[in-house]
Amino acid sequence: MANQTSSHPAHVHHHFVDSDQQFDTAKMGMWVFLVNEILFFGGLFCAYIVYRTWYPELFSEAAHELNTLWGAVNTVVLIGSSLTVAMAIRSAQKNQTKGLKINLLITIALACVFMVIKGFEYSHKFHLGIFPGEYYTFTGIEHPQANIFFSIYYMLTGVHALHVLVGIGLITWIYLRARKGEFSSEYYTPVEITGLYWHLVDLIWIFLFPLLYLIE
Amino acid sequence: MADAEVSNVKTLQVKRFKPSENPKSTFFSEEKGLWAWMTTVDHKKIGLMYLGSVALFFLLGGALALLLRTELLTPAKTFIEADTYNQFFTLHGAIMVFFVLIPSIPAALGNFVLPMQLGAKDVAFPRLNLASFYIYVVGAIFTFIALANNGLDTGWTFYTPYSTGSTSSVVWVTLGVFILGFSSILTGTNFITTVHKLRAPGITWGKLPLNIWALYATSIIQVLATPVLAITVLLLTMERTLGIGIFDPALGGDPVLFQHFFWFYSHPAVYIMIVPGFGIISEVITAFSKKHIFGYWAIALSSLAIAFIGFLVWGHHMFTSGQSAVATTIFSFLTFLVGIPTGIKILNWVATLYKGSIEMKTPMLYVFMFLFLFSIGGFTGIMLGSLSADIHLHDTYYVVAHFHYVMMGGTLIALLAGLHYWWPKMTGKMYNETQGKIAAFLIFVGFNMTFLPQFIMGSQGMPRRYYNYIDQFTPFHQTSTIGSYVLGVGFLLIAYYLFRSIFSDERAPSNPWNSRGLEWQSTSPPDLHNFDHTPVVIHGPYDYHKPMEEFQLGLAASHNGHGGHGHGESVEVTTETEKA
Ligand code: HEM
Ligand SMILES: [Cu+2]
C-alpha cells in the first residue's frame, strides 16, 4: 500500500493513491474477470465432455464435417493477433505511439479475418442443412444423435465468436484513444488489460480447435 | 497475478481525527438531485439505490407469499386458480432468490460498508459499480415483461423438460436471470479487487473486519459460480428458441444435465446468500457484547472453507433424480462436511458472548434470532443430506421449511440486524428502539408459526408446490397462514418506523453503539469521500479493550488536499504491500 505520493496525475482517479495502485487494481480486476470467463466456457466444455463420453463414435464421425484446413488457418490468425496485441503493449510501454497504432490496427484486421473465415464455415454448413438441434436436416452422418454434436459446436464457436466481436469493439476503442495520444509509458492500463482479454479469447480458441476439428 | 507479499513495518505521522457530530457536508448534501443520484459513482449512493430496489422486490415477493398462504387456508380452492397458484409460487421464489437475497447484503449493505471498513474512498471500479446497478435494473425489467406476459410457472428451478415445453414466458425470465448474473459477477469482481488493493495503511489481512472476510468469500463464490448459471440459462434459452436439444431426451440430450448445471450454481448460491449474513453477525455480536471476537481466524477461514466445500455438494439436490449410487453417497458425505465450518462459526459466536457486556438493542435481538433459527435450518439440512431420510423428505414441505429457516431465519434476519446496525450511519437518523423491539418480536413469533408446522406436515408427507391438500393437514396449513400474516405485520411495522426516522429531525450520533469498526469513525451520514483524511489503523476491529482515540487516527499530512497539516505523533504500522 503505497501512501506517500505527492502528485496526482490527470489519469489517476480520485480514489487511488497513485498511478501504480490504479494500474495494479485494474490488472487484478481483469484477471478476476477472466477467471469468470473461463468458468462460463467451463459449462460448455462440461457439456462437451458428457456427450463425448456418451457418443464417442459420433464425435469422431462428425468432426470430419469440419474443415480442418480453415480451422488451422484461423488458429494461426488468432495466434498472430495475440502477438500483435502484445507488441502493441510493448510499444505503449516504450512511448512509441506509431507502433502502438499500427499494431492495434493489425490486430483488428486479423480478428476480422477470423470472423470472415468463421462466417464462410457457418454458411457452408447451413447450406448443407447442418443446423443446430431440431432444425438439423443433414443426412450425411449415420449417427442418430448427430445434431447434438453440432449443437455443441455452434454453442462453443458461437459464444467464442461473440467474444471476438466484443474484442474487436474494445480494440477499436483503444485505437481511437491511442490516436488522441492518451497513452504513454506513464499510462497504458487500458491497452494492457484489453490485451489480457484478447489473449484469453485466443487461448479458448486454442482449446476449441483440437477439441472440435482434430478428433480422430 | 503473482502477488508477492512483503510485510514490513513503516513509521507514519498520524494525528487524531475525531468525527464531527454535526457535519456540514455529507454525501446527501453534496451531489443532490435525481440526476446526480442516477449518474453517481459513489458507492454509498449506489448501495442505497440497491437497498431501495431490493426493498421493492421484497414487497412484491412478500405480497405473493401472502397470497399463496391465503390460498392454502382451505384444502380445496380458496380464491385463485391452480395455474395462478403455480405462477405465484414460481415468481415468489425467483424474486426472493434472484432479486432479493442474492443482491441484498453484498450489493446493498456491502456496497455501502465495504469501502468504509477498508478506509477507502470508493470501490476499485466505481463506474463498473454503477453499471452493475443498471444491469440489475435491466434484468428486473425483463422479469416484469414476463410477469405482464403469461407469467412463469416452472418453479424457480426451471427444471427441464417442463421448462422447455411450458407456455409461460420462460425465455424472458431466463434472459433476465442471465443479465442479473452479470450484475452479481461485476459486484464480486469489484469487491475482490477492492479488498486486495484499496486497504488503508495498517489494515493487514489479520485486521480485516470479519464482514470483509465474509464479503470476500462471497465474491469468490459469485465469480466462480455465477458464470455457470449464465451458461445454463443461455443453453435453456437456446433450447427454447433454436431447439438445440442438449437437455432434450428426444434429441439425444439429457434433462438431468440441466439439474447438474443448475445446482452447480444454485448450491453455491445459497452460500452467496448466507455467508454475507455471517459477516454481519460477527460485526453486530462484538459491538453489542463489547468484546473481542472469539476465534477470529476460525471465523474468517471457515467462510472460505464453506465457499470451497459448497462447490462440491450440489448433488444433494438430486438424490432422487437417478444419480448413480456412488455419486449420491459421496455427495451425502460432502454435505455432512459443510456442517463443520458452519458449526465452528456458531460455536465461536456463542463463545464471544461469554462474559461480554451484552446490550439487548434491536440489532442484537436479531443476532440471537439468527443463532437460534439458523441452527435449526442447518441441522435440518444435515437431515436432508442423509440419504435414506431424504428419499422420504425430498420435495415435501420439510425441504420448504429447511430453506426458509436458513434463507429467511438466516440471511434475512442477518440483513435486518445489519440494516438496524448501520441505519444511523447510512441515513444519519435513529429509528425508534421500542418499535424496533416490537417488530423483532412479531417477526420471531410469526416466522416460527409459519414454518415450524411445515416441518411437521412435511415429515408426514405433505408435498411441496401443491395447490390442494388432504384434510389431515388443515390445522398445520392454517397455523402457517396465520403466522405469515403476523410476519407481514412485523415487516410493515419495520417499514413504518424506518420511513418515519428518515423524516425526523433528530440526528444520530456518529457512533451510537461505540463500535470500534472503522466505518463508525466517519460522520453520520459520511462525507462524500467517506473520511476527510486517510485513516491509519493500528488495532484490530474488535479490540474493545483499547481506547477509542486509538481507532481515530489518520495521516497527519494528507497528500490529496483533504484534511489538515498539523503536527502528528508517529506510530508504527505493519503494511502489506502487494505488487502485481
Ligand atoms: C449445514 C448446511 C446445509 C445443509 C447440510 C443443507 C442441505 C440441504 C439438502 C440436502 C437439500 C435438498 C433437500 C431435497 O431437495 O430433498 C437442501 C435444500 C435446500 N437448501 Fe439447504 N442445506 C444447508 C444450508 C443451506 C443454506 C445456508 C441455504 C440458503 C441460505 C440453503 C438453501 C436451500 C434451498 C433453497 C434448498 C431447496 C432448493 C429447492 O429444491 O427448491 N441450505 N439443503
Ligand atoms: Cu444445496
Side-chain angles (χ1 to χ4, degrees), chain A residues 1 5 15 21 25 28 39 43 51 54-55 133-135 148 151, chain B residues 123-124 193 196-199 224 242-244 246 252 254 261 559:
Chain A
M1 223 106 327
T5 353
H15 61 293
Q21 190 193 23
T25 306
M28 173 161 186
L39 275 132
Y51 290 110
W54 281 5
Y55 312 121
E134 22 178 57
Y135 304 99
I148 279 282
S151 291
Chain B
V123 290
T193 318
H196 272 269
K197 301 291 181 189
L198 296 187
R199 305 198 301 271
L224 295 181
L242 298 177
I244 56 171
I246 289 188
D254 179 11
F261 277 176
H559 55 269

PDB file of all heavy atoms in Angstrom, chain A residues 1 5 15 21 25 28 39 43 51 54-55 133-135 148 151, chain B residues 123-124 193 196-199 224 242-244 246 252 254 261 559:
ATOM      1  N   MET A   1       0.824  -1.192   0.000  1.00  0.00           N
ATOM      2  CA  MET A   1       0.000   0.000   0.000  1.00  0.00           C
ATOM      3  C   MET A   1       0.860   1.245   0.000  1.00  0.00           C
ATOM      4  O   MET A   1       1.333   1.693   1.032  1.00  0.00           O
ATOM      5  CB  MET A   1      -0.863  -0.008   1.244  1.00  0.00           C
ATOM      6  CG  MET A   1      -2.253   0.400   0.968  1.00  0.00           C
ATOM      7  SD  MET A   1      -3.396  -0.978   1.013  1.00  0.00           S
ATOM      8  CE  MET A   1      -2.492  -2.341   0.421  1.00  0.00           C
ATOM      9  N   THR A   5       2.696   9.587  -2.023  1.00  0.00           N
ATOM     10  CA  THR A   5       2.958  10.308  -3.259  1.00  0.00           C
ATOM     11  C   THR A   5       2.472  11.736  -3.119  1.00  0.00           C
ATOM     12  O   THR A   5       1.569  12.022  -2.363  1.00  0.00           O
ATOM     13  CB  THR A   5       2.211   9.711  -4.443  1.00  0.00           C
ATOM     14  OG1 THR A   5       1.612   8.538  -3.990  1.00  0.00           O
ATOM     15  CG2 THR A   5       3.137   9.465  -5.586  1.00  0.00           C
ATOM     16  N   HIS A  15     -10.006   8.076  -6.218  1.00  0.00           N
ATOM     17  CA  HIS A  15      -9.972   7.159  -5.078  1.00  0.00           C
ATOM     18  C   HIS A  15      -8.711   6.313  -5.016  1.00  0.00           C
ATOM     19  O   HIS A  15      -8.581   5.458  -4.159  1.00  0.00           O
ATOM     20  CB  HIS A  15     -11.224   6.282  -5.055  1.00  0.00           C
ATOM     21  CG  HIS A  15     -11.381   5.424  -6.265  1.00  0.00           C
ATOM     22  ND1 HIS A  15     -11.626   5.941  -7.505  1.00  0.00           N
ATOM     23  CD2 HIS A  15     -11.318   4.091  -6.417  1.00  0.00           C
ATOM     24  CE1 HIS A  15     -11.721   4.966  -8.385  1.00  0.00           C
ATOM     25  NE2 HIS A  15     -11.542   3.827  -7.754  1.00  0.00           N
ATOM     26  N   GLN A  21      -0.962   2.090  -7.994  1.00  0.00           N
ATOM     27  CA  GLN A  21      -2.075   1.400  -7.356  1.00  0.00           C
ATOM     28  C   GLN A  21      -3.217   1.239  -8.351  1.00  0.00           C
ATOM     29  O   GLN A  21      -3.833   0.187  -8.432  1.00  0.00           O
ATOM     30  CB  GLN A  21      -2.541   2.190  -6.126  1.00  0.00           C
ATOM     31  CG  GLN A  21      -3.514   1.404  -5.287  1.00  0.00           C
ATOM     32  CD  GLN A  21      -4.226   2.262  -4.256  1.00  0.00           C
ATOM     33  OE1 GLN A  21      -4.347   3.483  -4.396  1.00  0.00           O
ATOM     34  NE2 GLN A  21      -4.698   1.633  -3.205  1.00  0.00           N
ATOM     35  N   THR A  25      -4.606  -2.370  -9.644  1.00  0.00           N
ATOM     36  CA  THR A  25      -6.001  -2.650  -9.384  1.00  0.00           C
ATOM     37  C   THR A  25      -6.712  -3.056 -10.661  1.00  0.00           C
ATOM     38  O   THR A  25      -7.424  -4.066 -10.708  1.00  0.00           O
ATOM     39  CB  THR A  25      -6.673  -1.413  -8.773  1.00  0.00           C
ATOM     40  OG1 THR A  25      -5.915  -1.017  -7.641  1.00  0.00           O
ATOM     41  CG2 THR A  25      -8.077  -1.710  -8.364  1.00  0.00           C
ATOM     42  N   MET A  28      -5.637  -6.528 -11.761  1.00  0.00           N
ATOM     43  CA  MET A  28      -6.199  -7.595 -10.957  1.00  0.00           C
ATOM     44  C   MET A  28      -7.681  -7.790 -11.279  1.00  0.00           C
ATOM     45  O   MET A  28      -8.165  -8.905 -11.394  1.00  0.00           O
ATOM     46  CB  MET A  28      -6.047  -7.264  -9.486  1.00  0.00           C
ATOM     47  CG  MET A  28      -6.771  -8.267  -8.655  1.00  0.00           C
ATOM     48  SD  MET A  28      -6.223  -8.290  -6.991  1.00  0.00           S
ATOM     49  CE  MET A  28      -7.172  -9.705  -6.459  1.00  0.00           C
ATOM     50  N   LEU A  39     -14.885 -19.981 -16.371  1.00  0.00           N
ATOM     51  CA  LEU A  39     -15.972 -20.807 -15.852  1.00  0.00           C
ATOM     52  C   LEU A  39     -17.180 -20.773 -16.754  1.00  0.00           C
ATOM     53  O   LEU A  39     -17.917 -21.748 -16.867  1.00  0.00           O
ATOM     54  CB  LEU A  39     -16.324 -20.377 -14.439  1.00  0.00           C
ATOM     55  CG  LEU A  39     -15.365 -21.116 -13.527  1.00  0.00           C
ATOM     56  CD1 LEU A  39     -14.733 -20.218 -12.540  1.00  0.00           C
ATOM     57  CD2 LEU A  39     -16.055 -22.294 -12.906  1.00  0.00           C
ATOM     58  N   GLY A  43     -18.784 -24.425 -18.437  1.00  0.00           N
ATOM     59  CA  GLY A  43     -20.067 -25.116 -18.525  1.00  0.00           C
ATOM     60  C   GLY A  43     -20.209 -25.806 -19.871  1.00  0.00           C
ATOM     61  O   GLY A  43     -20.601 -26.969 -19.955  1.00  0.00           O
ATOM     62  N   TYR A  51     -21.197 -35.399 -23.466  1.00  0.00           N
ATOM     63  CA  TYR A  51     -21.711 -36.019 -24.690  1.00  0.00           C
ATOM     64  C   TYR A  51     -20.632 -36.754 -25.463  1.00  0.00           C
ATOM     65  O   TYR A  51     -20.916 -37.721 -26.157  1.00  0.00           O
ATOM     66  CB  TYR A  51     -22.437 -34.968 -25.544  1.00  0.00           C
ATOM     67  CG  TYR A  51     -23.725 -34.575 -24.875  1.00  0.00           C
ATOM     68  CD1 TYR A  51     -23.894 -33.331 -24.307  1.00  0.00           C
ATOM     69  CD2 TYR A  51     -24.751 -35.515 -24.749  1.00  0.00           C
ATOM     70  CE1 TYR A  51     -25.062 -33.013 -23.635  1.00  0.00           C
ATOM     71  CE2 TYR A  51     -25.916 -35.194 -24.084  1.00  0.00           C
ATOM     72  CZ  TYR A  51     -26.068 -33.935 -23.530  1.00  0.00           C
ATOM     73  OH  TYR A  51     -27.216 -33.647 -22.866  1.00  0.00           O
ATOM     74  N   TRP A  54     -20.555 -40.115 -23.928  1.00  0.00           N
ATOM     75  CA  TRP A  54     -21.720 -40.915 -24.284  1.00  0.00           C
ATOM     76  C   TRP A  54     -21.687 -41.395 -25.728  1.00  0.00           C
ATOM     77  O   TRP A  54     -22.067 -42.505 -26.037  1.00  0.00           O
ATOM     78  CB  TRP A  54     -22.999 -40.090 -24.084  1.00  0.00           C
ATOM     79  CG  TRP A  54     -23.416 -40.022 -22.656  1.00  0.00           C
ATOM     80  CD1 TRP A  54     -22.746 -40.515 -21.576  1.00  0.00           C
ATOM     81  CD2 TRP A  54     -24.595 -39.410 -22.152  1.00  0.00           C
ATOM     82  NE1 TRP A  54     -23.426 -40.241 -20.429  1.00  0.00           N
ATOM     83  CE2 TRP A  54     -24.571 -39.561 -20.754  1.00  0.00           C
ATOM     84  CE3 TRP A  54     -25.664 -38.734 -22.741  1.00  0.00           C
ATOM     85  CZ2 TRP A  54     -25.575 -39.076 -19.934  1.00  0.00           C
ATOM     86  CZ3 TRP A  54     -26.661 -38.253 -21.936  1.00  0.00           C
ATOM     87  CH2 TRP A  54     -26.621 -38.426 -20.544  1.00  0.00           C
ATOM     88  N   TYR A  55     -21.294 -40.481 -26.608  1.00  0.00           N
ATOM     89  CA  TYR A  55     -21.325 -40.822 -28.041  1.00  0.00           C
ATOM     90  C   TYR A  55     -19.950 -40.641 -28.676  1.00  0.00           C
ATOM     91  O   TYR A  55     -19.773 -39.774 -29.545  1.00  0.00           O
ATOM     92  CB  TYR A  55     -22.312 -39.924 -28.798  1.00  0.00           C
ATOM     93  CG  TYR A  55     -23.675 -39.767 -28.165  1.00  0.00           C
ATOM     94  CD1 TYR A  55     -24.153 -38.506 -27.804  1.00  0.00           C
ATOM     95  CD2 TYR A  55     -24.510 -40.878 -27.960  1.00  0.00           C
ATOM     96  CE1 TYR A  55     -25.412 -38.347 -27.234  1.00  0.00           C
ATOM     97  CE2 TYR A  55     -25.770 -40.712 -27.391  1.00  0.00           C
ATOM     98  CZ  TYR A  55     -26.212 -39.447 -27.024  1.00  0.00           C
ATOM     99  OH  TYR A  55     -27.450 -39.288 -26.478  1.00  0.00           O
ATOM    100  N   GLY A 133     -29.694 -28.577 -33.374  1.00  0.00           N
ATOM    101  CA  GLY A 133     -30.861 -29.208 -32.778  1.00  0.00           C
ATOM    102  C   GLY A 133     -31.959 -29.607 -33.724  1.00  0.00           C
ATOM    103  O   GLY A 133     -31.747 -30.292 -34.713  1.00  0.00           O
ATOM    104  N   GLU A 134     -33.174 -29.140 -33.445  1.00  0.00           N
ATOM    105  CA  GLU A 134     -34.324 -29.654 -34.183  1.00  0.00           C
ATOM    106  C   GLU A 134     -34.341 -29.267 -35.646  1.00  0.00           C
ATOM    107  O   GLU A 134     -34.996 -29.913 -36.446  1.00  0.00           O
ATOM    108  CB  GLU A 134     -35.662 -29.279 -33.546  1.00  0.00           C
ATOM    109  CG  GLU A 134     -35.690 -28.108 -32.639  1.00  0.00           C
ATOM    110  CD  GLU A 134     -37.092 -27.826 -32.126  1.00  0.00           C
ATOM    111  OE1 GLU A 134     -37.661 -28.733 -31.525  1.00  0.00           O
ATOM    112  OE2 GLU A 134     -37.574 -26.691 -32.322  1.00  0.00           O
ATOM    113  N   TYR A 135     -33.598 -28.226 -36.013  1.00  0.00           N
ATOM    114  CA  TYR A 135     -33.612 -27.788 -37.418  1.00  0.00           C
ATOM    115  C   TYR A 135     -32.605 -28.537 -38.272  1.00  0.00           C
ATOM    116  O   TYR A 135     -32.425 -28.261 -39.443  1.00  0.00           O
ATOM    117  CB  TYR A 135     -33.364 -26.283 -37.498  1.00  0.00           C
ATOM    118  CG  TYR A 135     -34.364 -25.507 -36.686  1.00  0.00           C
ATOM    119  CD1 TYR A 135     -34.058 -25.034 -35.419  1.00  0.00           C
ATOM    120  CD2 TYR A 135     -35.654 -25.308 -37.176  1.00  0.00           C
ATOM    121  CE1 TYR A 135     -35.000 -24.364 -34.664  1.00  0.00           C
ATOM    122  CE2 TYR A 135     -36.596 -24.642 -36.432  1.00  0.00           C
ATOM    123  CZ  TYR A 135     -36.270 -24.161 -35.170  1.00  0.00           C
ATOM    124  OH  TYR A 135     -37.200 -23.508 -34.422  1.00  0.00           O
ATOM    125  N   ILE A 148     -26.655 -33.348 -31.886  1.00  0.00           N
ATOM    126  CA  ILE A 148     -26.092 -32.931 -30.593  1.00  0.00           C
ATOM    127  C   ILE A 148     -24.675 -32.395 -30.762  1.00  0.00           C
ATOM    128  O   ILE A 148     -24.313 -31.366 -30.190  1.00  0.00           O
ATOM    129  CB  ILE A 148     -26.105 -34.121 -29.600  1.00  0.00           C
ATOM    130  CG1 ILE A 148     -27.480 -34.270 -28.987  1.00  0.00           C
ATOM    131  CG2 ILE A 148     -25.081 -33.952 -28.496  1.00  0.00           C
ATOM    132  CD1 ILE A 148     -27.783 -33.276 -27.897  1.00  0.00           C
ATOM    133  N   SER A 151     -24.992 -28.974 -32.130  1.00  0.00           N
ATOM    134  CA  SER A 151     -25.486 -28.024 -31.134  1.00  0.00           C
ATOM    135  C   SER A 151     -24.328 -27.530 -30.285  1.00  0.00           C
ATOM    136  O   SER A 151     -24.181 -26.330 -30.032  1.00  0.00           O
ATOM    137  CB  SER A 151     -26.510 -28.687 -30.213  1.00  0.00           C
ATOM    138  OG  SER A 151     -27.679 -28.969 -30.919  1.00  0.00           O
TER     139      SER A 151
ATOM    140  N   VAL B 123     -15.091   1.896  -4.076  1.00  0.00           N
ATOM    141  CA  VAL B 123     -14.669   0.567  -4.515  1.00  0.00           C
ATOM    142  C   VAL B 123     -13.643   0.734  -5.636  1.00  0.00           C
ATOM    143  O   VAL B 123     -13.450   1.828  -6.153  1.00  0.00           O
ATOM    144  CB  VAL B 123     -15.864  -0.265  -5.022  1.00  0.00           C
ATOM    145  CG1 VAL B 123     -16.770  -0.647  -3.883  1.00  0.00           C
ATOM    146  CG2 VAL B 123     -16.629   0.490  -6.087  1.00  0.00           C
ATOM    147  N   ALA B 124     -13.025  -0.368  -6.041  1.00  0.00           N
ATOM    148  CA  ALA B 124     -11.953  -0.269  -7.025  1.00  0.00           C
ATOM    149  C   ALA B 124     -12.439   0.311  -8.348  1.00  0.00           C
ATOM    150  O   ALA B 124     -11.756   1.111  -8.971  1.00  0.00           O
ATOM    151  CB  ALA B 124     -11.310  -1.635  -7.246  1.00  0.00           C
ATOM    152  N   THR B 193     -11.205  -7.145  -5.880  1.00  0.00           N
ATOM    153  CA  THR B 193     -10.115  -6.231  -6.191  1.00  0.00           C
ATOM    154  C   THR B 193      -9.986  -5.152  -5.114  1.00  0.00           C
ATOM    155  O   THR B 193      -8.879  -4.801  -4.705  1.00  0.00           O
ATOM    156  CB  THR B 193     -10.366  -5.585  -7.563  1.00  0.00           C
ATOM    157  OG1 THR B 193     -10.849  -6.591  -8.438  1.00  0.00           O
ATOM    158  CG2 THR B 193      -9.104  -5.015  -8.123  1.00  0.00           C
ATOM    159  N   HIS B 196      -8.257  -6.464  -2.058  1.00  0.00           N
ATOM    160  CA  HIS B 196      -6.828  -6.671  -2.242  1.00  0.00           C
ATOM    161  C   HIS B 196      -6.058  -5.372  -2.320  1.00  0.00           C
ATOM    162  O   HIS B 196      -4.965  -5.256  -1.783  1.00  0.00           O
ATOM    163  CB  HIS B 196      -6.572  -7.466  -3.531  1.00  0.00           C
ATOM    164  CG  HIS B 196      -6.610  -8.940  -3.309  1.00  0.00           C
ATOM    165  ND1 HIS B 196      -5.485  -9.663  -3.003  1.00  0.00           N
ATOM    166  CD2 HIS B 196      -7.625  -9.814  -3.324  1.00  0.00           C
ATOM    167  CE1 HIS B 196      -5.814 -10.929  -2.845  1.00  0.00           C
ATOM    168  NE2 HIS B 196      -7.111 -11.053  -3.040  1.00  0.00           N
ATOM    169  N   LYS B 197      -6.620  -4.390  -3.015  1.00  0.00           N
ATOM    170  CA  LYS B 197      -5.784  -3.257  -3.412  1.00  0.00           C
ATOM    171  C   LYS B 197      -6.059  -1.954  -2.682  1.00  0.00           C
ATOM    172  O   LYS B 197      -5.241  -1.048  -2.747  1.00  0.00           O
ATOM    173  CB  LYS B 197      -5.956  -3.005  -4.916  1.00  0.00           C
ATOM    174  CG  LYS B 197      -5.575  -4.200  -5.781  1.00  0.00           C
ATOM    175  CD  LYS B 197      -4.083  -4.436  -5.734  1.00  0.00           C
ATOM    176  CE  LYS B 197      -3.717  -5.621  -6.613  1.00  0.00           C
ATOM    177  NZ  LYS B 197      -2.317  -6.023  -6.441  1.00  0.00           N
ATOM    178  N   LEU B 198      -7.186  -1.797  -2.050  1.00  0.00           N
ATOM    179  CA  LEU B 198      -7.511  -0.466  -1.527  1.00  0.00           C
ATOM    180  C   LEU B 198      -7.598  -0.384  -0.004  1.00  0.00           C
ATOM    181  O   LEU B 198      -8.337   0.422   0.528  1.00  0.00           O
ATOM    182  CB  LEU B 198      -8.821   0.044  -2.148  1.00  0.00           C
ATOM    183  CG  LEU B 198      -8.827   0.289  -3.651  1.00  0.00           C
ATOM    184  CD1 LEU B 198     -10.117   0.952  -4.083  1.00  0.00           C
ATOM    185  CD2 LEU B 198      -7.655   1.144  -4.079  1.00  0.00           C
ATOM    186  N   ARG B 199      -6.840  -1.209   0.687  1.00  0.00           N
ATOM    187  CA  ARG B 199      -6.911  -1.138   2.143  1.00  0.00           C
ATOM    188  C   ARG B 199      -6.084   0.046   2.658  1.00  0.00           C
ATOM    189  O   ARG B 199      -5.016   0.334   2.154  1.00  0.00           O
ATOM    190  CB  ARG B 199      -6.386  -2.439   2.739  1.00  0.00           C
ATOM    191  CG  ARG B 199      -7.092  -3.664   2.213  1.00  0.00           C
ATOM    192  CD  ARG B 199      -6.877  -4.865   3.098  1.00  0.00           C
ATOM    193  NE  ARG B 199      -5.473  -5.205   3.245  1.00  0.00           N
ATOM    194  CZ  ARG B 199      -4.819  -6.017   2.423  1.00  0.00           C
ATOM    195  NH1 ARG B 199      -5.436  -6.555   1.404  1.00  0.00           N
ATOM    196  NH2 ARG B 199      -3.558  -6.292   2.625  1.00  0.00           N
ATOM    197  N   LEU B 224     -16.991 -17.459  -9.285  1.00  0.00           N
ATOM    198  CA  LEU B 224     -16.791 -18.817  -9.793  1.00  0.00           C
ATOM    199  C   LEU B 224     -18.089 -19.516 -10.169  1.00  0.00           C
ATOM    200  O   LEU B 224     -18.098 -20.362 -11.059  1.00  0.00           O
ATOM    201  CB  LEU B 224     -16.041 -19.669  -8.753  1.00  0.00           C
ATOM    202  CG  LEU B 224     -14.618 -19.237  -8.431  1.00  0.00           C
ATOM    203  CD1 LEU B 224     -13.993 -20.181  -7.420  1.00  0.00           C
ATOM    204  CD2 LEU B 224     -13.755 -19.212  -9.677  1.00  0.00           C
ATOM    205  N   LEU B 242     -33.968 -22.249 -30.380  1.00  0.00           N
ATOM    206  CA  LEU B 242     -33.405 -22.956 -31.525  1.00  0.00           C
ATOM    207  C   LEU B 242     -33.552 -24.470 -31.403  1.00  0.00           C
ATOM    208  O   LEU B 242     -33.136 -25.205 -32.285  1.00  0.00           O
ATOM    209  CB  LEU B 242     -31.911 -22.626 -31.675  1.00  0.00           C
ATOM    210  CG  LEU B 242     -31.554 -21.173 -31.951  1.00  0.00           C
ATOM    211  CD1 LEU B 242     -30.049 -21.008 -31.985  1.00  0.00           C
ATOM    212  CD2 LEU B 242     -32.154 -20.742 -33.282  1.00  0.00           C
ATOM    213  N   GLY B 243     -34.089 -24.930 -30.287  1.00  0.00           N
ATOM    214  CA  GLY B 243     -34.220 -26.367 -30.098  1.00  0.00           C
ATOM    215  C   GLY B 243     -32.905 -27.107 -30.176  1.00  0.00           C
ATOM    216  O   GLY B 243     -32.781 -28.136 -30.832  1.00  0.00           O
ATOM    217  N   ILE B 244     -31.851 -26.604 -29.496  1.00  0.00           N
ATOM    218  CA  ILE B 244     -30.560 -27.262 -29.651  1.00  0.00           C
ATOM    219  C   ILE B 244     -30.515 -28.663 -29.041  1.00  0.00           C
ATOM    220  O   ILE B 244     -29.629 -29.429 -29.354  1.00  0.00           O
ATOM    221  CB  ILE B 244     -29.402 -26.428 -29.078  1.00  0.00           C
ATOM    222  CG1 ILE B 244     -29.654 -26.092 -27.622  1.00  0.00           C
ATOM    223  CG2 ILE B 244     -29.162 -25.182 -29.902  1.00  0.00           C
ATOM    224  CD1 ILE B 244     -28.458 -25.476 -26.952  1.00  0.00           C
ATOM    225  N   ILE B 246     -29.785 -30.008 -26.139  1.00  0.00           N
ATOM    226  CA  ILE B 246     -28.808 -30.521 -25.166  1.00  0.00           C
ATOM    227  C   ILE B 246     -29.489 -31.089 -23.927  1.00  0.00           C
ATOM    228  O   ILE B 246     -28.989 -32.013 -23.294  1.00  0.00           O
ATOM    229  CB  ILE B 246     -27.800 -29.407 -24.816  1.00  0.00           C
ATOM    230  CG1 ILE B 246     -26.903 -29.178 -26.040  1.00  0.00           C
ATOM    231  CG2 ILE B 246     -26.948 -29.769 -23.622  1.00  0.00           C
ATOM    232  CD1 ILE B 246     -25.752 -28.269 -25.839  1.00  0.00           C
ATOM    233  N   GLY B 252     -31.581 -36.717 -28.016  1.00  0.00           N
ATOM    234  CA  GLY B 252     -30.336 -37.318 -27.543  1.00  0.00           C
ATOM    235  C   GLY B 252     -29.716 -36.582 -26.374  1.00  0.00           C
ATOM    236  O   GLY B 252     -28.641 -36.932 -25.912  1.00  0.00           O
ATOM    237  N   ASP B 254     -29.980 -34.677 -22.336  1.00  0.00           N
ATOM    238  CA  ASP B 254     -30.241 -35.234 -21.012  1.00  0.00           C
ATOM    239  C   ASP B 254     -30.763 -34.159 -20.067  1.00  0.00           C
ATOM    240  O   ASP B 254     -30.043 -33.224 -19.736  1.00  0.00           O
ATOM    241  CB  ASP B 254     -28.940 -35.808 -20.460  1.00  0.00           C
ATOM    242  CG  ASP B 254     -29.137 -36.385 -19.077  1.00  0.00           C
ATOM    243  OD1 ASP B 254     -30.290 -36.519 -18.641  1.00  0.00           O
ATOM    244  OD2 ASP B 254     -28.122 -36.699 -18.423  1.00  0.00           O
ATOM    245  N   PHE B 261     -26.136 -28.724 -13.878  1.00  0.00           N
ATOM    246  CA  PHE B 261     -25.685 -27.356 -14.120  1.00  0.00           C
ATOM    247  C   PHE B 261     -26.351 -26.389 -13.157  1.00  0.00           C
ATOM    248  O   PHE B 261     -25.724 -25.516 -12.567  1.00  0.00           O
ATOM    249  CB  PHE B 261     -26.032 -26.917 -15.551  1.00  0.00           C
ATOM    250  CG  PHE B 261     -25.041 -27.375 -16.581  1.00  0.00           C
ATOM    251  CD1 PHE B 261     -25.249 -27.126 -17.920  1.00  0.00           C
ATOM    252  CD2 PHE B 261     -23.892 -28.058 -16.210  1.00  0.00           C
ATOM    253  CE1 PHE B 261     -24.336 -27.533 -18.877  1.00  0.00           C
ATOM    254  CE2 PHE B 261     -22.978 -28.476 -17.157  1.00  0.00           C
ATOM    255  CZ  PHE B 261     -23.200 -28.210 -18.495  1.00  0.00           C
ATOM    256  N   HIS B 559      -1.938  13.924   1.491  1.00  0.00           N
ATOM    257  CA  HIS B 559      -1.345  14.241   0.204  1.00  0.00           C
ATOM    258  C   HIS B 559      -2.367  14.736  -0.799  1.00  0.00           C
ATOM    259  O   HIS B 559      -2.037  15.183  -1.848  1.00  0.00           O
ATOM    260  CB  HIS B 559      -0.667  13.009  -0.357  1.00  0.00           C
ATOM    261  CG  HIS B 559      -1.612  11.850  -0.432  1.00  0.00           C
ATOM    262  ND1 HIS B 559      -1.752  10.967   0.588  1.00  0.00           N
ATOM    263  CD2 HIS B 559      -2.495  11.501  -1.389  1.00  0.00           C
ATOM    264  CE1 HIS B 559      -2.685  10.091   0.261  1.00  0.00           C
ATOM    265  NE2 HIS B 559      -3.146  10.381  -0.918  1.00  0.00           N
TER     266      HIS B 559
END
